[in-house]
Amino acid sequence: MANLTETLSNKSFELNGFLRINNIVGSKGYLPFSRSTFYSRIRNPNYPDYKPPIKFGRISAWHVSDILAIVENATNERGAR
């Protein structure tokens, strides 16, 4: 989905940057579920796209490209139904 990449590239972050959990899930995020669901999918081997965070001291962040891959794969799966 090329429009998603274009939309995200117009946001206030770089495509090679990082996102924190509040920017990923919930009402302000790109994924429509809770942070506990997101963390449980990271631990679940059935969801290989959900990678663990990068740690910056006490701060956890994810690569924008990893989150884009999750969103695009979910969009492709939804379209294949």
Side-chain angles (χ1 to χ4, degrees):
M1 184 172 186
N3 292 338
L4 177 65
T5 305
E6 291 173 15
T7 301
L8 291 177
S9 66
N10 292 331
K11 297 288 183 181
S12 62
F13 53 81
E14 300 285 331
L15 286 177
N16 59 356
F18 296 94
L19 291 171
R20 303 226 6 231
I21 190 75
N22 293 337
N23 301 110
I24 298 170
V25 298
S27 62
K28 296 180 183 178
Y30 294 102
L31 301 175
F33 43 77
S34 69
R35 66 174 51 210
S36 61
T37 299
F38 184 71
Y39 280 115
S40 69
R41 288 184 180 189
I42 289 171
R43 290 187 301 274
N44 189 338
N46 293 330
Y47 294 98
D49 292 338
Y50 289 78
K51 298 178 181 168
I54 308 292
K55 293 293 215 169
F56 298 103
R58 293 176 38 191
I59 297 172
S60 298
W62 287 261
H63 285 282
V64 171
S65 58
D66 292 341
I67 303 306
L68 276 174
I70 292 170
V71 172
E72 288 179 359
N73 286 341
T75 304
N76 292 338
E77 288 175 8
R78 188 176 262 183
R81 290 184 196 175

